Amino acid sequence: MNELASLARSYLTRSLKPFEFKNEYDNRLKYGSCESLGLYVHIPFCKQICSFCPYCKELYSEEKMDKYIDALIKEIRLVGTKFKKKRVTSLYFGGGTPALAADRIGKIISVINEYFIITEGIGIELHPDNVNYETLSALKASGVTKISIGIQSFQDKFLSVLGRRKFDIEKMSEALKNVKFETVSMDFIFALPNQTFEDLKSDIELAFSSGANHVAIYPFIDFTFTKSPVKAMNDKEKRELLDKITLYCQNQGYRRDSIWTFSNDPSAKYSSMTRENFLGFGCSATTLLKKQFKINTFNVEEYCKRVQSGRLPTSLTLRFTLRQRMVYWLFWTAYSTKVDSRDFEKFFGVPLEKYYGKEVRIAEKLNLITSDNGVYQMTLKGAFYYHYFENYYTLAYIDKMWGIMRKEAFPKKIVLN
């Protein structure tokens, strides 16, 4: 797998130069001229640690949470004071279980509002246990407009496989009726052992009838450093399942706004991923700018120490070559299922055809994409192979990087060939 990843990287970037992340960072992040800039805040605490979850998290304690949020606010100020007030698209809180900090989310947002003008709303991830009137009311009062609930499955047989507890669906639905949000998204995992189209269809139908106007169906990925006993479905079954559920959603009239997401309301959107540039705050958060990608330390204690000393908690930084940045832009823009060549040219100042015209034509001949006036749209086949490539990339690169960073707060260097 690593050899194939290396060949793909070399071909797409036209270089033998690997992705080289170094233990260095800029004291002043150059985001002032960035357009379509998003914000992300990571809160890593959970009441229960799920074995399948690869993200940076640790068991909740009130003392640790308060100390962490104090450091988080200081990091926001360290970054925000470098430029005049900046317009940004959106703000997303992820984790972990960020709703555990519901009583301080308002303070975090107020500090962010000192330095940034949020134009497209504020989203936060929730565990089903957090979906109650008190928590939802506190979040709405803080300015949250979008919520994403990590359901994973409504079915006991899959909750058991994932190590998740059963929850009260009716109580959750009642809370959602009483506290309204612009977007209510519910997340599900697909490609679990013996999962069928009927299983997923049932989950999606129950989601929309229980208060969701948006659903996300993410593939199960078997990270090597997690302790999950779950084994991923084989590719043939996975493709059949993905195609069936996509066609079902489209036939129901649900709008597809990314590879994994569908909505029954045109105004409902929830994605912290499809941004040309973004600033990340908190432990393990990433920042993507025009010429660099940086990752904060995964170690909560070291994160707090570094920030309280007045320094940014950056663990590693990648300085992009032009081709590397193009590949990154194309990969994450394609997550929305389409790429507009005019957006590429606006961002890079050069035509997409000049750099990747051959690849575009091959993709069309293979029925991976269709084109219309410079807009390239994925087919069902293309969406599956995007999923396949993302899974492949994740296991070849992200798995290695996160595996190291979970053990070392500030590694000297990570080279991804």
Side-chain angles (χ1 to χ4, degrees), residues 75 295 379:
E75 184 194 5
I295 311 169
T379 62

Side-chain angles (χ1 to χ4, degrees), residues 2-52:
N2 288 335
E3 289 79 7
L4 289 173
S6 180
L7 285 171
R9 173 196 52 74
S10 298
Y11 174 73
L12 292 171
T13 63
R14 306 296 197 271
S15 171
L16 296 176
K17 182 181 175 66
F19 295 115
E20 189 171 8
F21 291 80
K22 296 181 179 180
N23 188 339
E24 61 181 39
Y25 67 95
D26 298 329
N27 286 306
R28 185 173 184 267
L29 297 176
K30 298 177 182 178
Y31 64 84
S33 62
C34 289
E35 296 182 17
S36 188
L37 181 70
L39 303 177
Y40 173 78
V41 172
H42 191 81
I43 297 179
F45 300 98
C46 293
K47 288 282 183 74
Q48 172 192 354
I49 302 298
C50 297
S51 62
F52 65 88

